[in-house]
Amino acid sequence: MRGSGRRRRGSVAAGDDESYNNNVWSSSSWFCSQACNPKQECMMMTWIGRRVVAIALLLLALQTIHVLASDAASYLQAGDASLSRSEFTLALRQYSSFIELDPTAALGYSKRAAVYLQQRKYHEALADLDRAVSADPSFLQGYLHRGRLLRQMCRFEEGERDFRKILELKPGHSSAGKELAQTAEARDTLAEAELFIDTEEFTKAGEALDRVVSYSPECSQARLLKAKLMLKNKDYSGTITEVGRVLKVDESDLDALLLRGKAYFYLADHDVALRHYQTGLRLDPEHAELKKEYFKLKALLRKTKSADEAFEKSKFRTAVEEYTSALEIAPDHTSHNIRLHLGLCKALVKLGRGRDAVTRCSLVLELDSESLEALVQRGEARLLVEDWEGAVADFKAAVQKSPQDRDIRVGLQKAEHGLKLSKRKDWYKVLGLSNMASAADIKRAYKKLALQWHPDKNVENKEEAENKFREVAEAYEVLGDEDKKAKYDRGEDLDEPQMGGGGFNPFGGGGGGGFTFQFEGGFPGGGAFHF
């Protein structure tokens, strides 16, 4: 407001001088006509009048220049104060007003460029520094600031030219010499990093790129190369941060949009990934990599949705097919494929395909050891394949993670019961029968094996025969008794057969009565036998 007020005062002064000028001319003409009859005297008086007018105009110009200079200085001071308070928008407006008043002053462009640098508007800053050195080709600070900015943006050759220009204008300039050396080192280090990437020496490449960024923090080329290495190493958060620096400078950088979209994709933040791909494709609809990633993501989401819907509708075979197809779309998409493997495991359990289900759930647990659902589902799958010990281990681990879950405890009870049954003797197997055998089948098998392993018929391997004979008798004692067999089939505990005292003893002795085998028809060549 102070500056605008001064401009108003300047305009008033200019008006007054114009009035004065007209009065001077009219007075001179009147004097000539009234007092100067001779021609020479009249011409002399006209010359004097013109000199008076010229002096008046000069005084007016000096007054205007003074007013303008005063206004310009005030804008410059105000801009400096605003910049010190980080009021960048106001500082830009004030420096721009200074430039309007004095467009030939390099200082105004240089100061406005400093504000643009604070706002990370590097292209605008560069344009103002170009104007500064154009307005004053000997402006050392302009060359120095522009050279530094060019180096930060990896425009090394242009930056080197500015530093050499300073040394040409002022040989031995210390800052210019130091900046020139750093620019050359940054340029050479970037070339070295690219060579390491070509030879797949990625660790060395990363170290070299870190050095480049230390000299050239706004170097998009170096940051994008760093982001690619981070993506390769599955550092997705680091990739997003690194690429974000590039997009703040140039939000239309297609390589940056592609890399950031991929990072969000692998973090399974699919909506954000899609937005990045779509933004890039709006800028360049034919960009091959962006199109490829966009359609891959769309296909993955479509297949995943189809698989989930099939599972919810109990169409488990279809669900298996859809989950399997989805896994083929992006095999390296770990965070999303955990979900697909788990869905596949659950569908396989529903189909009774225990062995395949165990494999899928184990993959989930390899990728995410904390997955409670995968642990429970693998326990269910192990029940299907009668891996009782494995099932017990899975359900116990699940109970520790979720002690109040009743379904998990029921699963554990099933697994423990199965394990207990698996450790008892399989009497059906001893008799060579299935658990569906009838009473007649049991009796027939018993007679056959008792004859086969009778010690009297196995003199040469009597000890083995006695053990086998005893085992056959024990099996028949359980399965030949209707009540005992029913309990055995239900998995209930049975008292162990007594091998001495008054209990069962196929070989007699020990105070009990002898065990009699009575066969209809007896042994071949003889009748019934006792022992």
Side-chain angles (χ1 to χ4, degrees):
M1 294 301 293
R2 182 178 58 183
S4 60
R6 287 182 176 176
R7 278 200 297 274
R8 284 197 295 273
R9 287 196 298 275
S11 63
V12 171
D16 291 344
D17 275 286
E18 185 179 355
S19 176
Y20 172 76
N21 182 28
N22 292 332
N23 290 335
V24 169
W25 278 108
S26 59
S27 299
S28 174
S29 300
W30 177 84
F31 183 81
C32 183
S33 63
Q34 298 296 322
C36 301
N37 290 323
K39 187 176 182 180
Q40 283 186 335
E41 290 181 6
C42 190
M43 289 178 64
M44 176 64 70
M45 293 306 295
T46 301
W47 179 84
I48 292 171
R50 288 175 178 172
R51 293 286 290 179
V52 170
V53 170
I55 292 170
L57 290 174
L58 177 61
L59 290 172
L60 174 62
L62 289 173
Q63 182 181 2
T64 302
I65 290 171
H66 175 73
V67 170
L68 292 175
S70 176
D71 280 352
S74 67
Y75 281 126
L76 205 61
Q77 292 171 1
D80 291 345
S82 298
L83 180 59
S84 68
R85 296 191 299 270
S86 298
E87 296 173 352
F88 302 127
T89 303
L90 182 58
L92 279 177
R93 192 159 58 243
Q94 290 160 337
Y95 287 141
S96 295
S97 295
F98 172 84
I99 291 169
E100 288 175 9
L101 290 175
D102 191 357
T104 62
L107 185 60
Y109 298 113
S110 178
K111 285 183 174 291
R112 191 169 68 178
V115 182
Y116 284 134
L117 286 173
Q118 289 290 334
Q119 295 179 315
R120 301 185 70 183
K121 296 180 178 179
Y122 300 119
H123 297 293
E124 291 87 342
L126 196 58
D128 262 358
L129 290 171
D130 288 342
R131 295 184 186 103
V133 297
S134 178
D136 182 2
S138 64
F139 185 41
L140 297 184
Q141 285 299 108
Y143 289 115
L144 187 64
H145 293 322
R146 188 174 71 174
R148 285 172 176 166
L149 178 55
L150 289 167
R151 186 196 67 220
Q152 288 191 22
M153 298 170 71
C154 278
R155 294 168 62 173
F156 299 123
E157 292 183 3
E158 297 170 80
E160 287 175 336
R161 281 201 296 270
D162 276 348
F163 297 135
R164 290 194 182 100
K165 180 67 175 179
I166 296 171
L167 293 171
E168 178 186 320
L169 293 170
K170 186 178 181 181
H173 192 288
S174 59
S175 295
K178 180 181 177 181
E179 297 288 348
L180 181 61
Q182 289 182 347
T183 302
E185 185 174 351
R187 181 197 61 218
D188 295 342
T189 306
L190 180 59
E192 185 181 62
E194 291 172 334
L195 181 61
F196 284 137
I197 290 173
D198 290 340
T199 56
E200 298 187 354
E201 298 177 81
F202 299 122
T203 301
K204 291 182 179 179
E207 293 170 352
L209 289 169
D210 285 339
R211 293 198 300 275
V212 173
V213 170
S214 69
Y215 291 123
S216 306
E218 305 307 329
C219 180
S220 297
Q221 184 180 354
R223 289 196 177 278
L224 289 176
L225 288 173
K226 276 189 70 177
K228 287 179 181 178
L229 292 179
M230 289 176 171
L231 191 68
K232 184 179 182 64
N233 292 328
K234 299 183 179 181
D235 181 3
Y236 304 125
S237 297
T239 302
I240 290 169
T241 301
E242 201 66 44
V243 174
R245 292 288 298 268
V246 177
L247 289 171
K248 283 183 179 179
V249 177
D250 182 5
E251 61 185 14
S252 65
D253 190 304
L254 296 179
D255 289 335
L257 289 168
L258 175 64
L259 283 171
R260 210 162 194 240
K262 283 185 173 182
Y264 279 115
F265 171 77
Y266 287 115
L267 287 172
D269 197 343
H270 295 146
D271 289 341
V272 179
L274 275 175
R275 287 202 295 273
H276 279 75
Y277 296 151
Q278 289 166 341
T279 300
L281 288 171
R282 279 195 292 269
L283 295 168
D284 182 3
E286 298 305 317
H287 192 286
E289 276 295 305
L290 282 167
K291 285 173 69 176
K292 176 185 173 184
E293 294 301 321
Y294 174 77
F295 287 117
K296 180 172 75 174
L297 177 50
K298 293 290 283 185
L300 180 64
L301 295 176
R302 186 170 57 253
K303 277 290 181 184
T304 301
K305 182 180 179 182
S306 176
D308 289 342
E309 288 176 349
F311 185 89
E312 290 300 320
K313 295 176 182 177
S314 299
K315 297 179 179 180
F316 301 121
R317 294 185 188 280
T318 302
V320 168
E321 293 173 0
E322 294 296 280
Y323 282 128
T324 303
S325 296
L327 283 164
E328 293 171 356
I329 294 173
D332 59 341
H333 191 351
T334 302
S335 57
H336 186 70
N337 288 351
I338 288 174
R339 174 186 171 185
L340 296 177
H341 283 302
L342 181 58
L344 189 51
C345 171
K346 291 163 64 177
L348 289 168
V349 168
K350 293 292 186 181
L351 291 171
R353 293 169 55 181
R355 193 174 303 280
D356 293 334
V358 168
T359 299
R360 291 296 175 176
C361 278
S362 295
L363 281 173
V364 175
L365 290 165
E366 285 175 13
L367 299 170
D368 179 11
S369 60
E370 297 301 314
S371 176
L372 175 62
E373 193 171 8
L375 203 56
V376 172
Q377 289 297 318
R378 189 172 69 175
E380 295 289 350
R382 283 176 163 167
L383 289 178
L384 292 173
V385 296
E386 298 185 356
D387 177 8
W388 310 113
E389 291 184 357
V392 168
D394 282 345
F395 282 118
K396 279 186 175 179
V399 166
Q400 289 181 347
K401 292 177 180 293
S402 182
Q404 305 304 319
D405 193 310
R406 183 176 178 279
D407 291 336
I408 294 175
R409 289 192 171 276
V410 169
L412 178 59
Q413 289 172 0
K414 288 181 183 177
E416 289 175 335
H417 184 65
L419 179 61
K420 183 177 180 180
L421 294 181
S422 70
K423 291 183 176 180
R424 71 178 184 175
K425 258 198 178 158
D426 188 341
W427 298 124
Y428 287 103
K429 187 175 181 180
V430 169
L431 297 180
L433 300 169
S434 75
N435 58 3
M436 301 300 293
S438 66
D441 293 334
I442 293 169
K443 186 174 184 180
R444 189 162 41 251
Y446 162 63
K447 287 182 179 181
K448 178 182 175 181
L449 291 171
L451 284 171
Q452 179 183 339
W453 293 106
H454 195 285
D456 292 346
K457 295 179 67 65
N458 294 274
V459 178
E460 295 181 358
N461 58 335
K462 190 171 182 178
E463 185 177 351
E464 179 187 2
E466 286 179 353
N467 290 332
K468 291 284 187 180
F469 188 77
R470 182 184 294 108
E471 192 175 47
V472 167
E474 291 173 355
Y476 187 67
E477 183 187 15
V478 173
L479 300 181
D481 184 291
E482 187 176 339
D483 291 336
K484 290 182 178 180
K485 178 178 179 299
K487 288 182 179 180
Y488 178 81
D489 289 342
R490 290 194 299 268
E492 296 178 12
D493 289 334
L494 295 172
D495 293 332
E496 291 295 329
Q498 298 299 313
M499 306 311 296
F504 172 72
N505 184 349
F507 302 111
F515 183 79
T516 302
F517 288 93
Q518 181 68 47
F519 297 100
E520 296 178 3
F523 283 129
F529 69 92
H530 303 273
F531 67 92

